[in-house]
Amino acid sequence: MQNLGIIGFGWLGSRIAERLSDRYEIFATTSTESKIEDLESKGFRTTLASFPDEINPEMKEWEVASELDAVIVTIPFSGIRGMQVSMKERQQNLLKFLGDFKGQLFLTSSTGVYPQIDHDFKEEDQPANEVESESFILEQFPQTNILRLAGLMGDQRLLKNYNISNLDQLVNHIHYSDICTAIEKMLAQKSRSKVYNIVAPIHPSKEEVINAQKGLSYSGERTTKGRTISPAKLIQELDFEFQYPDPRYFHL
């Protein structure tokens, strides 16, 4: 059994661990001391670690780093909703924590790195070495896989449960189950230095999604123009099939 580290054991990190724990020994970090006992009761080896927005002079290399075959970083480095806000000191804390890690490395980024304009964006439209929230880790760990995640959905995270504006806007969403599958495939293929948009290939409007999730019909005209993120590279290179290709049916 290989060893997998997950830095940041929040909503997504916990679901990745649950999916992979039958094949990997999970090493987790949490910034919440009260979570440690619960995580360890599930068989996860847990380290208390936080990555503040100021330099932590006491930050040390993760003591288990040399034992890990792969590490997935799920803490954010791109600001709210993907805005390119400088987090240089948080970045430095992470780099110090990783030390000289040589294994497979994943950074969960955001489709928010793309401009807010009507266009179908592909990975090459925004090279990772030109995105501050991605390039910082590539400079020290060029093997890093960058996963640009769309809006995280699944379980109780459904659009119908939120107060939503701009109902005619097209959505770029992803079900967490498909994120887990993409990571599974990349781990198995020993992927290195890849950049993928991980986003459901169908882009209905917000109103269409909400109506479908509420069991209501949609009588409006189908919006076709807007800002969309393409998963074509992921589909082609990983022979990827989405379990949840349409955000209207994430609740099923």
Side-chain angles (χ1 to χ4, degrees):
M1 183 175 284
Q2 291 188 311
N3 296 331
L4 174 66
I6 300 178
I7 296 177
F9 211 84
W11 190 85
L12 179 59
S14 64
R15 283 158 175 78
I16 294 170
E18 288 166 7
R19 172 74 75 88
L20 297 172
S21 61
D22 62 334
R23 283 151 290 163
Y24 294 85
E25 183 165 2
I26 303 296
F27 293 73
T29 77
T30 178
S31 59
T32 307
E33 192 167 1
S34 59
K35 283 186 177 181
I36 293 178
E37 184 176 349
D38 177 58
L39 294 179
E40 292 191 337
S41 71
K42 296 176 181 178
F44 304 149
R45 291 175 57 178
T46 309
T47 299
L48 185 66
S50 62
F51 302 89
D53 291 333
E54 61 278 343
I55 292 293
N56 178 0
E58 298 181 1
M59 180 65 73
K60 295 179 174 60
E61 181 179 349
W62 197 2
E63 60 183 13
V64 300
S66 62
E67 302 175 38
L68 304 177
D69 298 286
V71 170
I72 302 169
V73 180
T74 69
I75 56 178
F77 288 94
S78 56
I80 298 173
R81 297 187 183 278
M83 291 174 59
Q84 291 304 291
V85 178
S86 179
M87 294 186 173
K88 287 187 179 297
E89 295 189 338
R90 179 183 290 192
Q91 294 168 2
Q92 292 305 309
N93 287 328
L94 175 68
L95 296 177
K96 190 170 183 180
F97 189 69
L98 288 170
D100 63 350
F101 182 69
K102 298 294 193 297
Q104 236 184 327
L105 187 57
F106 297 79
L107 176 72
T108 59
S109 182
S110 165
T111 54
V113 302
Y114 298 108
Q116 296 290 329
I117 58 175
D118 290 356
H119 184 71
D120 186 43
F121 286 100
K122 299 176 176 60
E123 290 84 352
E124 58 266 26
D125 293 326
Q126 198 74 291
N129 60 9
E130 297 178 9
V131 178
E132 184 191 29
S133 58
E134 297 173 351
S135 63
F136 83 94
I137 197 167
L138 292 170
E139 291 170 4
Q140 186 163 321
F141 302 99
Q143 78 269 30
T144 305
N145 297 299
I146 305 294
L147 309 181
R148 292 175 175 168
L149 308 182
L152 301 180
M153 293 290 168
D155 290 343
Q156 295 307 307
R157 281 197 181 192
L158 298 173
L159 208 59
K160 70 174 184 177
N161 295 332
Y162 298 89
N163 293 321
I164 301 298
S165 58
N166 302 319
L167 292 177
D168 60 340
Q169 191 175 65
L170 300 183
V171 303
N172 294 285
H173 287 170
I174 185 67
H175 194 287
Y176 71 83
S177 182
D178 283 318
I179 299 173
C180 294
T181 301
I183 291 172
E184 278 182 307
K185 279 180 166 282
M186 294 178 74
L187 285 167
Q189 295 184 16
K190 307 295 184 185
S191 299
R192 295 170 77 89
S193 307
K194 296 293 187 179
V195 180
Y196 289 128
N197 295 330
I198 303 186
V199 52
I202 298 174
H203 307 278
S205 70
K206 293 178 181 179
E207 186 173 8
E208 288 180 88
V209 174
I210 291 169
N211 280 24
Q213 292 175 352
K214 289 183 175 180
L216 304 174
S217 61
Y218 176 74
S219 58
E221 186 173 335
R222 181 81 163 87
T223 304
T224 58
K225 184 179 179 182
R227 174 182 176 274
T228 57
I229 314 299
S230 171
K233 181 181 176 185
L234 176 77
I235 293 169
Q236 180 181 5
E237 293 191 1
L238 292 184
D239 191 25
F240 193 84
E241 293 184 14
F242 285 85
Q243 182 180 354
Y244 295 93
D246 191 334
R248 288 173 292 186
Y249 307 111
F250 280 6
H251 61 298
L252 301 179

